[in-house]
Amino acid sequence: MKKIIYPGSFDPLTFGHLDVLERAVKIFDKVIVAVAGNSEKTPLFSFEERIEMLRIAAKDNPKIEVDSFNGLLVEYASKKGASVILRGLRALSDFEYEFQMALTNRKLYENIETIFMMPSESYSYLSSRMIKEIASMGGDVRDFVPDYVAARLKARIQNRK
Ligand code: ADP
């Protein structure tokens, strides 16, 4: 069984994340979406909230597992029995960081390979950070995220005001 780990902050998930996820599901037997716990970024949504939104997105697909991890990604992947890591690649700006991370991970665990998938061009400019900025200024984000994410963003931002 070919398993792949799709790690990220998912703060919150966007149609770009889901586009890549759907592509991976067509190729792999199991896709483990793993919310990273030890990111340096301060998230808008808690670990649990991000996991919950991903679970809603994945609920009809038995090939998707939603999980979380702390610590080294390669150690987590190896513990889960996955030898492939998936990352989404948008514009050239993603490349440098992703390149560095993929090669560092390979140095740490040479048996784990990182692969990249590109989303549909209509999502290639989307980022969680941009979505949060739009939502914080009262903009409509329903073209970019599922309705349940848009509703949670609205509620979170209203609570902060
Ligand atoms: P991280 O903090 O690990 O970068 P993100 O949630 O921002 O977490 O992204 C997780 C993964 O999803 C990364 O590989 C990122 O490049 C990818 N990704 C984010 N937005 C998009 C998008 N619009 N289209 C395709 N991939 C994306």
Side-chain angles (χ1 to χ4, degrees), residues 115-145:
I115 68 162
F116 297 94
M117 291 182 95
M118 276 163 275
S120 152
E121 65 268 24
S122 45
Y123 300 133
S124 61
Y125 61 92
L126 261 189
S127 71
S128 299
R129 188 177 56 82
M130 191 110 78
I131 302 297
K132 286 183 277 191
E133 266 179 44
I134 298 170
S136 72
M137 289 181 265
D140 187 351
V141 293
R142 284 173 301 174
D143 280 347
F144 312 126
V145 297

Coordinates of all heavy atoms in Angstrom, one line a residue, residues 115-145:
I115 N 7.7 14.7 -3.0 CA 7.2 15.0 -4.3 C 6.4 16.3 -4.3 O 5.8 16.6 -3.2 CB 6.5 13.8 -5.0 CG1 5.1 13.6 -4.3 CG2 7.3 12.6 -5.1 CD1 4.2 12.8 -5.2
F116 N 6.3 16.9 -5.4 CA 5.5 18.2 -5.5 C 4.4 18.1 -6.5 O 4.6 17.5 -7.6 CB 6.5 19.3 -5.9 CG 7.6 19.5 -4.9 CD1 8.8 18.9 -5.0 CD2 7.4 20.3 -3.8 CE1 9.8 19.0 -4.0 CE2 8.3 20.5 -2.8 CZ 9.6 19.8 -2.9
M117 N 3.3 18.7 -6.2 CA 2.2 18.7 -7.1 C 1.7 20.2 -7.3 O 1.7 20.9 -6.3 CB 1.0 17.8 -6.7 CG 1.4 16.4 -6.7 SD 0.1 15.3 -6.2 CE -0.6 15.0 -7.8
M118 N 1.4 20.5 -8.5 CA 0.9 21.9 -8.7 C -0.6 21.9 -8.8 O -1.2 21.0 -9.4 CB 1.4 22.4 -10.0 CG 2.8 23.0 -9.9 SD 3.6 23.1 -11.4 CE 4.3 21.5 -11.6
P119 N -1.2 22.9 -8.1 CA -2.7 22.9 -8.2 C -3.1 23.5 -9.5 O -2.3 24.0 -10.3 CB -3.0 23.9 -7.1 CG -1.9 24.9 -7.1 CD -0.7 24.0 -7.4
S120 N -4.4 23.4 -9.8 CA -5.0 24.1 -10.9 C -4.5 25.6 -10.9 O -4.4 26.2 -9.9 CB -6.5 24.0 -10.8 OG -7.1 25.1 -11.5
E121 N -4.3 26.1 -12.1 CA -3.8 27.5 -12.1 C -4.7 28.5 -11.4 O -4.3 29.5 -10.9 CB -3.5 28.0 -13.6 CG -4.6 28.1 -14.5 CD -4.8 26.9 -15.3 OE1 -4.4 25.8 -14.8 OE2 -5.5 27.0 -16.4
S122 N -6.0 28.1 -11.4 CA -6.9 29.1 -10.7 C -6.7 29.2 -9.2 O -7.2 30.1 -8.5 CB -8.4 28.7 -11.0 OG -8.6 27.3 -10.9
Y123 N -5.9 28.2 -8.6 CA -5.6 28.3 -7.2 C -4.2 28.5 -6.9 O -3.7 28.5 -5.8 CB -6.0 26.9 -6.5 CG -7.5 26.6 -6.6 CD1 -7.9 25.3 -7.0 CD2 -8.4 27.6 -6.4 CE1 -9.2 25.0 -7.2 CE2 -9.8 27.3 -6.5 CZ -10.2 26.0 -6.9 OH -11.5 25.7 -7.0
S124 N -3.4 28.8 -8.0 CA -2.0 28.8 -7.8 C -1.5 30.1 -7.1 O -0.4 30.2 -6.7 CB -1.2 28.6 -9.1 OG -1.6 29.7 -10.0
Y125 N -2.4 31.0 -6.9 CA -2.0 32.3 -6.2 C -2.6 32.3 -4.8 O -2.4 33.3 -4.1 CB -2.6 33.5 -7.0 CG -4.1 33.4 -7.1 CD1 -4.9 34.1 -6.2 CD2 -4.7 32.7 -8.1 CE1 -6.3 34.0 -6.2 CE2 -6.1 32.6 -8.2 CZ -6.8 33.3 -7.2 OH -8.2 33.1 -7.3
L126 N -3.3 31.3 -4.4 CA -4.0 31.3 -3.1 C -3.1 30.9 -2.0 O -2.3 29.9 -2.1 CB -5.1 30.2 -3.2 CG -6.5 30.6 -3.4 CD1 -7.4 29.3 -3.2 CD2 -6.9 31.7 -2.6
S127 N -3.2 31.6 -0.9 CA -2.5 31.2 0.3 C -3.4 31.4 1.5 O -4.2 32.3 1.5 CB -1.2 32.0 0.5 OG -1.5 33.3 0.8
S128 N -3.1 30.7 2.6 CA -3.9 30.8 3.8 C -3.7 32.2 4.4 O -4.6 32.9 4.9 CB -3.5 29.8 4.9 OG -3.7 28.5 4.4
R129 N -2.5 32.7 4.2 CA -2.2 34.1 4.8 C -3.1 35.2 4.1 O -3.7 36.0 4.7 CB -0.7 34.4 4.5 CG -0.2 35.7 5.2 CD 1.3 35.9 5.0 NE 1.7 35.9 3.6 CZ 1.6 36.9 2.8 NH1 1.1 38.1 3.3 NH2 2.0 36.8 1.6
M130 N -3.2 35.0 2.7 CA -4.0 36.0 2.0 C -5.5 35.9 2.4 O -6.1 36.9 2.5 CB -3.8 35.7 0.5 CG -4.4 36.8 -0.4 SD -3.0 37.6 -1.2 CE -2.6 36.5 -2.5
I131 N -5.9 34.7 2.5 CA -7.3 34.5 2.9 C -7.6 35.2 4.3 O -8.6 35.8 4.4 CB -7.6 32.9 3.1 CG1 -7.3 32.2 1.8 CG2 -9.0 32.7 3.6 CD1 -8.1 32.6 0.6
K132 N -6.7 35.0 5.2 CA -6.9 35.6 6.5 C -6.9 37.1 6.4 O -7.6 37.8 7.1 CB -5.8 35.2 7.5 CG -6.0 33.7 7.9 CD -5.0 33.3 8.9 CE -3.7 32.8 8.2 NZ -2.8 32.1 9.1
E133 N -6.0 37.7 5.5 CA -6.0 39.1 5.3 C -7.3 39.6 4.8 O -7.9 40.6 5.2 CB -4.8 39.5 4.4 CG -3.6 39.8 5.2 CD -2.4 40.2 4.3 OE1 -2.6 40.9 3.3 OE2 -1.3 39.6 4.5
I134 N -7.8 38.9 3.7 CA -9.1 39.3 3.1 C -10.2 39.3 4.1 O -11.0 40.2 4.3 CB -9.4 38.4 1.9 CG1 -8.3 38.6 0.8 CG2 -10.8 38.8 1.3 CD1 -8.4 37.5 -0.3
A135 N -10.2 38.2 4.9 CA -11.3 38.0 5.8 C -11.2 39.1 6.9 O -12.3 39.6 7.4 CB -11.2 36.6 6.4
S136 N -10.0 39.4 7.4 CA -9.9 40.4 8.4 C -10.3 41.8 8.0 O -10.7 42.6 8.8 CB -8.4 40.4 8.9 OG -7.6 41.1 8.0
M137 N -10.4 42.0 6.7 CA -10.9 43.3 6.2 C -12.3 43.2 5.8 O -12.8 44.1 5.1 CB -9.9 43.8 5.1 CG -8.6 44.2 5.7 SD -7.5 44.8 4.4 CE -6.5 43.4 4.0
G138 N -13.0 42.1 6.1 CA -14.4 42.0 5.8 C -14.7 41.5 4.4 O -15.8 41.5 4.0
G139 N -13.7 41.0 3.7 CA -13.9 40.6 2.3 C -14.6 39.2 2.3 O -14.5 38.4 3.3
D140 N -15.1 38.9 1.1 CA -15.8 37.6 1.0 C -14.8 36.5 0.5 O -14.2 36.7 -0.5 CB -16.9 37.8 -0.1 CG -17.8 36.6 -0.2 OD1 -17.5 35.5 0.4 OD2 -18.8 36.7 -0.9
V141 N -14.6 35.5 1.2 CA -13.6 34.5 0.9 C -14.2 33.2 0.3 O -13.5 32.2 0.2 CB -12.7 34.2 2.1 CG1 -11.8 35.4 2.4 CG2 -13.5 33.7 3.3
R142 N -15.5 33.2 0.0 CA -16.2 32.0 -0.3 C -15.7 31.4 -1.7 O -15.9 30.2 -2.0 CB -17.7 32.1 -0.3 CG -18.2 32.1 1.1 CD -19.7 32.4 1.2 NE -19.9 33.7 0.6 CZ -21.1 34.3 0.4 NH1 -22.2 33.6 0.7 NH2 -21.3 35.5 -0.1
D143 N -15.0 32.2 -2.5 CA -14.5 31.6 -3.7 C -13.2 30.9 -3.5 O -12.7 30.2 -4.4 CB -14.1 32.8 -4.7 CG -15.4 33.3 -5.5 OD1 -16.4 32.6 -5.4 OD2 -15.3 34.3 -6.1
F144 N -12.6 31.0 -2.3 CA -11.3 30.5 -2.0 C -11.3 29.4 -1.0 O -10.3 28.6 -0.9 CB -10.4 31.6 -1.5 CG -10.4 32.9 -2.3 CD1 -10.7 34.1 -1.7 CD2 -10.2 32.8 -3.6 CE1 -10.7 35.3 -2.4 CE2 -10.2 34.0 -4.4 CZ -10.5 35.2 -3.8
V145 N -12.3 29.3 -0.2 CA -12.4 28.2 0.9 C -13.8 27.7 1.0 O -14.7 28.3 0.6 CB -12.0 28.8 2.3 CG1 -10.5 29.4 2.3 CG2 -12.9 29.9 2.7

